[in-house]
Amino acid sequence: MSSDIRNRPIITSTSELSFETVFTRYYGLVYQLAYRYVGQSDEADDIAQEVFLRYYRVPPKANSEAEQRAWLCRVATNLGLNVLRSRQRRTNREERVSETVQRIAPEVEAQLNPEQHALADEQAALVRSILAEMPERQQTYIVLRSTGLSYAEIAQATGVATASVGALLARAEREFRRRYHERVTTTGA
Amino acid sequence: MNELRQPEHNDNCLDQSILIARRDDELSAEEAANVEQHLATCGDCAADERLITSGGSQVYTLLSALDPKPGTVPDPIAALAKLNARLKETKPSTKSSRGLQAVPTRKKSSLIWRQLRRNWVAAVAAAILLALLILPNASAIADQFLSLFRVQQFQPVSIDPRDFASHPLPGIQDFGTWQVSPNSLKTQNNLTKAQAQHLLTFPIAQPGNLPQGLRNNPEFAVLKGGLLTFTFSSAKAHAYLVRYGHGNMTIPANLDGARFTVSVTSGVEMSFSSSDKYFIVLEVPSPTIRATGSASLNELRDFMLSLPNLPPQLVTQLRQIDLNSGTIPIPVPPQITAQHISIHGAAGLLLADNTPIGGAVVWQTHGMIYALGGNYGNASQLLTTANSLP
């Protein structure tokens, strides 16, 4: 494949996408997905780097760009969940939530005043802790959906039938809302 | 459709998976028509549908709290350079590219537009930021303390991605920090038109003419406005210059701590989509950029344009833009064609890919920025839709 991309359309029905193109096109998506799981820039970047390193070394057998994108999201999800499992082993849930708030704080400190900072972090920590309590499959469905994946892509990334995605999302959303309202009611947040 | 889709009321009523698929525009045209017909006559299902929509909106609004903060996502080019360095460290490789199997153009373009939809907030901020950082020289006001820049029009600026392969364009995070006002730049999704209108200070203009096949029942989303303040840091700028071997470059003393505020008013996004087609209309009041500290926008711009490794052709193009005109440069890569057009007498740009992938139109009039486009329709259809906005 030529390295000259100057005159090549971004997408044609016959061309291949270079590794560089795939990286620059999907790095943001993979980073965002990883960040949603781990909540820290350095870890999200590490995960994104690892995802593309695996892609580079052993390219997936993808028949379409949608499958490619789904593969990237699946690997990012697995790595993100691995990080969460490691954290869970280190500490109990209350300590973990507290740790997340404390560890995120320096990163956003430069962008928000103390009040905003506290509100944004409280909200993020609450959402993240609710997700952590849910079955992994359920949190995966709504996190993938929240990053803009179609039902077909979610199906590709999680290995379920496309026709089942709607029902699985419905259950996951219902479960998330139930746990959220439970928390808000309990804590008065 | 599958074993998980259990009817809730009776055999004729719709289960939640169908309603949620309707909400996410994942039904076929035939399924959607049947669902709409049922909803029109079944109060229970219509109530469920409203619950699903509002519940989903709540879930995904809450999940948006997990998004990375604006300006914190690493630049992909820099991230790629980091990966390349890691690969070189571990094992030399002759592999320079990987291939994807061919897929239909419309399918791929749909993905691009879906991603664009999610990122349009960032795209707007990036465009403003680009203007802030590399505004062209304007001799007429060179001696003035320029304090206010209001986005009024757009100018295509040719870029070549190869120019940035070895020397990535600097990111804002390399030169300072952002502060974002409370609750600003949050997107509220899955709104009705009435809900969206309630959050806006201008009347929503809905196109009267859409590309063939699209129904005029868009999903509304509102980006809440706010203030973004950028504070220049000489220490960060110096670190950037050292990283690229230009540590002896002088940074004007008054830039350190200088503040620049971008004011954004809430805007609306209307998205029209089907399984592989995407079309969006954006309406947002023209943002303003104000210098509120020790340095002017001119001084910031002059410093940014003096940075090493900026492509000379890009710098030349930017310098030719009159700052007084409130012009935002729009980067245009080689595969995109840009054409000046007029919408209701207002100057705008038509951006189109050389392939039949779609395109976009952007223009400004009466203090409002309008943009629309997608992977659906050709340039003529885009202009027809643009001109159909009231």
Side-chain angles (χ1 to χ4, degrees), chain A residues 27-46:
Chain A
Y27 175 85
L29 173 71
V30 171
Y31 176 93
Q32 184 193 37
L33 181 56
Y35 190 93
R36 286 197 171 200
Y37 280 111
V38 301
Q40 293 183 63
S41 288
D42 52 356
E43 283 191 318
D45 183 47
D46 285 347

PDB file of all heavy atoms in Angstrom, chain A residues 27-46:
ATOM      1  N   TYR A  27      -8.996   6.734  17.449  1.00  0.00           N
ATOM      2  CA  TYR A  27      -8.337   6.902  18.745  1.00  0.00           C
ATOM      3  C   TYR A  27      -9.270   7.614  19.731  1.00  0.00           C
ATOM      4  O   TYR A  27      -9.409   7.224  20.895  1.00  0.00           O
ATOM      5  CB  TYR A  27      -7.023   7.683  18.590  1.00  0.00           C
ATOM      6  CG  TYR A  27      -6.384   7.985  19.926  1.00  0.00           C
ATOM      7  CD1 TYR A  27      -5.573   7.051  20.543  1.00  0.00           C
ATOM      8  CD2 TYR A  27      -6.649   9.181  20.598  1.00  0.00           C
ATOM      9  CE1 TYR A  27      -5.025   7.299  21.788  1.00  0.00           C
ATOM     10  CE2 TYR A  27      -6.103   9.434  21.839  1.00  0.00           C
ATOM     11  CZ  TYR A  27      -5.287   8.493  22.425  1.00  0.00           C
ATOM     12  OH  TYR A  27      -4.759   8.735  23.656  1.00  0.00           O
ATOM     13  N   GLY A  28      -9.909   8.697  19.266  1.00  0.00           N
ATOM     14  CA  GLY A  28     -10.799   9.457  20.144  1.00  0.00           C
ATOM     15  C   GLY A  28     -11.916   8.606  20.702  1.00  0.00           C
ATOM     16  O   GLY A  28     -12.251   8.691  21.890  1.00  0.00           O
ATOM     17  N   LEU A  29     -12.504   7.776  19.861  1.00  0.00           N
ATOM     18  CA  LEU A  29     -13.599   6.907  20.297  1.00  0.00           C
ATOM     19  C   LEU A  29     -13.105   5.907  21.343  1.00  0.00           C
ATOM     20  O   LEU A  29     -13.738   5.711  22.389  1.00  0.00           O
ATOM     21  CB  LEU A  29     -14.182   6.159  19.096  1.00  0.00           C
ATOM     22  CG  LEU A  29     -15.221   5.101  19.413  1.00  0.00           C
ATOM     23  CD1 LEU A  29     -16.520   5.751  19.879  1.00  0.00           C
ATOM     24  CD2 LEU A  29     -15.483   4.226  18.188  1.00  0.00           C
ATOM     25  N   VAL A  30     -11.974   5.283  21.053  1.00  0.00           N
ATOM     26  CA  VAL A  30     -11.435   4.272  21.966  1.00  0.00           C
ATOM     27  C   VAL A  30     -11.035   4.921  23.285  1.00  0.00           C
ATOM     28  O   VAL A  30     -11.318   4.390  24.377  1.00  0.00           O
ATOM     29  CB  VAL A  30     -10.225   3.555  21.317  1.00  0.00           C
ATOM     30  CG1 VAL A  30      -9.520   2.662  22.320  1.00  0.00           C
ATOM     31  CG2 VAL A  30     -10.693   2.738  20.117  1.00  0.00           C
ATOM     32  N   TYR A  31     -10.421   6.094  23.201  1.00  0.00           N
ATOM     33  CA  TYR A  31     -10.017   6.801  24.418  1.00  0.00           C
ATOM     34  C   TYR A  31     -11.251   7.150  25.253  1.00  0.00           C
ATOM     35  O   TYR A  31     -11.279   6.952  26.469  1.00  0.00           O
ATOM     36  CB  TYR A  31      -9.247   8.072  24.041  1.00  0.00           C
ATOM     37  CG  TYR A  31      -8.872   8.917  25.239  1.00  0.00           C
ATOM     38  CD1 TYR A  31      -7.645   8.766  25.864  1.00  0.00           C
ATOM     39  CD2 TYR A  31      -9.746   9.865  25.756  1.00  0.00           C
ATOM     40  CE1 TYR A  31      -7.310   9.513  26.976  1.00  0.00           C
ATOM     41  CE2 TYR A  31      -9.429  10.629  26.860  1.00  0.00           C
ATOM     42  CZ  TYR A  31      -8.200  10.452  27.456  1.00  0.00           C
ATOM     43  OH  TYR A  31      -7.866  11.205  28.561  1.00  0.00           O
ATOM     44  N   GLN A  32     -12.275   7.679  24.585  1.00  0.00           N
ATOM     45  CA  GLN A  32     -13.482   8.071  25.302  1.00  0.00           C
ATOM     46  C   GLN A  32     -14.119   6.874  25.990  1.00  0.00           C
ATOM     47  O   GLN A  32     -14.556   6.953  27.145  1.00  0.00           O
ATOM     48  CB  GLN A  32     -14.485   8.706  24.344  1.00  0.00           C
ATOM     49  CG  GLN A  32     -15.729   9.231  25.049  1.00  0.00           C
ATOM     50  CD  GLN A  32     -16.850   9.574  24.089  1.00  0.00           C
ATOM     51  OE1 GLN A  32     -17.045   8.892  23.094  1.00  0.00           O
ATOM     52  NE2 GLN A  32     -17.570  10.631  24.384  1.00  0.00           N
ATOM     53  N   LEU A  33     -14.170   5.764  25.275  1.00  0.00           N
ATOM     54  CA  LEU A  33     -14.766   4.560  25.850  1.00  0.00           C
ATOM     55  C   LEU A  33     -13.967   4.105  27.075  1.00  0.00           C
ATOM     56  O   LEU A  33     -14.531   3.791  28.130  1.00  0.00           O
ATOM     57  CB  LEU A  33     -14.805   3.465  24.782  1.00  0.00           C
ATOM     58  CG  LEU A  33     -15.406   2.129  25.184  1.00  0.00           C
ATOM     59  CD1 LEU A  33     -16.828   2.300  25.703  1.00  0.00           C
ATOM     60  CD2 LEU A  33     -15.395   1.169  23.980  1.00  0.00           C
ATOM     61  N   ALA A  34     -12.656   4.078  26.923  1.00  0.00           N
ATOM     62  CA  ALA A  34     -11.805   3.668  28.047  1.00  0.00           C
ATOM     63  C   ALA A  34     -11.955   4.624  29.222  1.00  0.00           C
ATOM     64  O   ALA A  34     -12.028   4.206  30.380  1.00  0.00           O
ATOM     65  CB  ALA A  34     -10.338   3.611  27.593  1.00  0.00           C
ATOM     66  N   TYR A  35     -12.044   5.903  28.900  1.00  0.00           N
ATOM     67  CA  TYR A  35     -12.175   6.902  29.965  1.00  0.00           C
ATOM     68  C   TYR A  35     -13.468   6.720  30.734  1.00  0.00           C
ATOM     69  O   TYR A  35     -13.533   6.916  31.947  1.00  0.00           O
ATOM     70  CB  TYR A  35     -12.090   8.308  29.366  1.00  0.00           C
ATOM     71  CG  TYR A  35     -11.984   9.394  30.414  1.00  0.00           C
ATOM     72  CD1 TYR A  35     -10.743   9.861  30.829  1.00  0.00           C
ATOM     73  CD2 TYR A  35     -13.118   9.935  31.005  1.00  0.00           C
ATOM     74  CE1 TYR A  35     -10.633  10.833  31.814  1.00  0.00           C
ATOM     75  CE2 TYR A  35     -13.023  10.913  31.981  1.00  0.00           C
ATOM     76  CZ  TYR A  35     -11.774  11.364  32.377  1.00  0.00           C
ATOM     77  OH  TYR A  35     -11.672  12.329  33.354  1.00  0.00           O
ATOM     78  N   ARG A  36     -14.519   6.354  30.014  1.00  0.00           N
ATOM     79  CA  ARG A  36     -15.803   6.143  30.696  1.00  0.00           C
ATOM     80  C   ARG A  36     -15.693   5.020  31.730  1.00  0.00           C
ATOM     81  O   ARG A  36     -16.380   5.043  32.737  1.00  0.00           O
ATOM     82  CB  ARG A  36     -16.894   5.829  29.682  1.00  0.00           C
ATOM     83  CG  ARG A  36     -17.313   7.065  28.919  1.00  0.00           C
ATOM     84  CD  ARG A  36     -18.632   6.913  28.228  1.00  0.00           C
ATOM     85  NE  ARG A  36     -19.029   8.226  27.711  1.00  0.00           N
ATOM     86  CZ  ARG A  36     -20.261   8.553  27.389  1.00  0.00           C
ATOM     87  NH1 ARG A  36     -21.216   7.678  27.514  1.00  0.00           N
ATOM     88  NH2 ARG A  36     -20.546   9.756  26.935  1.00  0.00           N
ATOM     89  N   TYR A  37     -14.859   4.069  31.454  1.00  0.00           N
ATOM     90  CA  TYR A  37     -14.696   2.982  32.419  1.00  0.00           C
ATOM     91  C   TYR A  37     -13.776   3.384  33.562  1.00  0.00           C
ATOM     92  O   TYR A  37     -14.105   3.167  34.723  1.00  0.00           O
ATOM     93  CB  TYR A  37     -14.130   1.736  31.738  1.00  0.00           C
ATOM     94  CG  TYR A  37     -15.164   0.933  30.984  1.00  0.00           C
ATOM     95  CD1 TYR A  37     -15.149   0.866  29.605  1.00  0.00           C
ATOM     96  CD2 TYR A  37     -16.170   0.245  31.659  1.00  0.00           C
ATOM     97  CE1 TYR A  37     -16.101   0.141  28.909  1.00  0.00           C
ATOM     98  CE2 TYR A  37     -17.132  -0.476  30.975  1.00  0.00           C
ATOM     99  CZ  TYR A  37     -17.092  -0.529  29.606  1.00  0.00           C
ATOM    100  OH  TYR A  37     -18.042  -1.244  28.929  1.00  0.00           O
ATOM    101  N   VAL A  38     -12.621   3.968  33.234  1.00  0.00           N
ATOM    102  CA  VAL A  38     -11.593   4.116  34.264  1.00  0.00           C
ATOM    103  C   VAL A  38     -11.517   5.514  34.862  1.00  0.00           C
ATOM    104  O   VAL A  38     -11.016   5.676  35.973  1.00  0.00           O
ATOM    105  CB  VAL A  38     -10.200   3.708  33.732  1.00  0.00           C
ATOM    106  CG1 VAL A  38     -10.238   2.262  33.277  1.00  0.00           C
ATOM    107  CG2 VAL A  38      -9.746   4.615  32.593  1.00  0.00           C
ATOM    108  N   GLY A  39     -11.977   6.545  34.123  1.00  0.00           N
ATOM    109  CA  GLY A  39     -12.066   7.883  34.695  1.00  0.00           C
ATOM    110  C   GLY A  39     -10.753   8.587  34.919  1.00  0.00           C
ATOM    111  O   GLY A  39     -10.696   9.561  35.647  1.00  0.00           O
ATOM    112  N   GLN A  40      -9.701   8.108  34.303  1.00  0.00           N
ATOM    113  CA  GLN A  40      -8.405   8.764  34.454  1.00  0.00           C
ATOM    114  C   GLN A  40      -7.721   8.849  33.093  1.00  0.00           C
ATOM    115  O   GLN A  40      -7.676   7.858  32.352  1.00  0.00           O
ATOM    116  CB  GLN A  40      -7.504   7.985  35.399  1.00  0.00           C
ATOM    117  CG  GLN A  40      -7.986   7.981  36.833  1.00  0.00           C
ATOM    118  CD  GLN A  40      -6.998   7.259  37.730  1.00  0.00           C
ATOM    119  OE1 GLN A  40      -5.860   7.676  37.886  1.00  0.00           O
ATOM    120  NE2 GLN A  40      -7.429   6.156  38.283  1.00  0.00           N
ATOM    121  N   SER A  41      -7.163  10.014  32.805  1.00  0.00           N
ATOM    122  CA  SER A  41      -6.566  10.239  31.490  1.00  0.00           C
ATOM    123  C   SER A  41      -5.423   9.273  31.195  1.00  0.00           C
ATOM    124  O   SER A  41      -5.342   8.704  30.106  1.00  0.00           O
ATOM    125  CB  SER A  41      -6.039  11.670  31.385  1.00  0.00           C
ATOM    126  OG  SER A  41      -7.097  12.570  31.303  1.00  0.00           O
ATOM    127  N   ASP A  42      -4.541   9.111  32.181  1.00  0.00           N
ATOM    128  CA  ASP A  42      -3.353   8.285  31.901  1.00  0.00           C
ATOM    129  C   ASP A  42      -3.747   6.828  31.664  1.00  0.00           C
ATOM    130  O   ASP A  42      -3.237   6.170  30.747  1.00  0.00           O
ATOM    131  CB  ASP A  42      -2.328   8.411  33.033  1.00  0.00           C
ATOM    132  CG  ASP A  42      -2.919   8.153  34.397  1.00  0.00           C
ATOM    133  OD1 ASP A  42      -4.158   7.955  34.486  1.00  0.00           O
ATOM    134  OD2 ASP A  42      -2.160   8.128  35.364  1.00  0.00           O
ATOM    135  N   GLU A  43      -4.677   6.333  32.452  1.00  0.00           N
ATOM    136  CA  GLU A  43      -5.103   4.940  32.255  1.00  0.00           C
ATOM    137  C   GLU A  43      -5.898   4.777  30.959  1.00  0.00           C
ATOM    138  O   GLU A  43      -5.761   3.765  30.270  1.00  0.00           O
ATOM    139  CB  GLU A  43      -5.931   4.470  33.450  1.00  0.00           C
ATOM    140  CG  GLU A  43      -5.060   4.134  34.661  1.00  0.00           C
ATOM    141  CD  GLU A  43      -5.865   3.418  35.741  1.00  0.00           C
ATOM    142  OE1 GLU A  43      -7.001   3.820  35.988  1.00  0.00           O
ATOM    143  OE2 GLU A  43      -5.336   2.475  36.328  1.00  0.00           O
ATOM    144  N   ALA A  44      -6.720   5.773  30.637  1.00  0.00           N
ATOM    145  CA  ALA A  44      -7.484   5.705  29.382  1.00  0.00           C
ATOM    146  C   ALA A  44      -6.538   5.705  28.193  1.00  0.00           C
ATOM    147  O   ALA A  44      -6.719   4.958  27.220  1.00  0.00           O
ATOM    148  CB  ALA A  44      -8.459   6.873  29.299  1.00  0.00           C
ATOM    149  N   ASP A  45      -5.511   6.529  28.267  1.00  0.00           N
ATOM    150  CA  ASP A  45      -4.535   6.569  27.177  1.00  0.00           C
ATOM    151  C   ASP A  45      -3.772   5.259  27.089  1.00  0.00           C
ATOM    152  O   ASP A  45      -3.518   4.743  25.995  1.00  0.00           O
ATOM    153  CB  ASP A  45      -3.573   7.745  27.383  1.00  0.00           C
ATOM    154  CG  ASP A  45      -2.593   7.876  26.241  1.00  0.00           C
ATOM    155  OD1 ASP A  45      -3.022   7.828  25.073  1.00  0.00           O
ATOM    156  OD2 ASP A  45      -1.382   7.988  26.496  1.00  0.00           O
ATOM    157  N   ASP A  46      -3.406   4.709  28.243  1.00  0.00           N
ATOM    158  CA  ASP A  46      -2.713   3.413  28.252  1.00  0.00           C
ATOM    159  C   ASP A  46      -3.572   2.338  27.578  1.00  0.00           C
ATOM    160  O   ASP A  46      -3.072   1.520  26.796  1.00  0.00           O
ATOM    161  CB  ASP A  46      -2.403   2.975  29.694  1.00  0.00           C
ATOM    162  CG  ASP A  46      -1.251   3.769  30.289  1.00  0.00           C
ATOM    163  OD1 ASP A  46      -0.552   4.455  29.515  1.00  0.00           O
ATOM    164  OD2 ASP A  46      -1.079   3.719  31.514  1.00  0.00           O
TER     165      ASP A  46
END
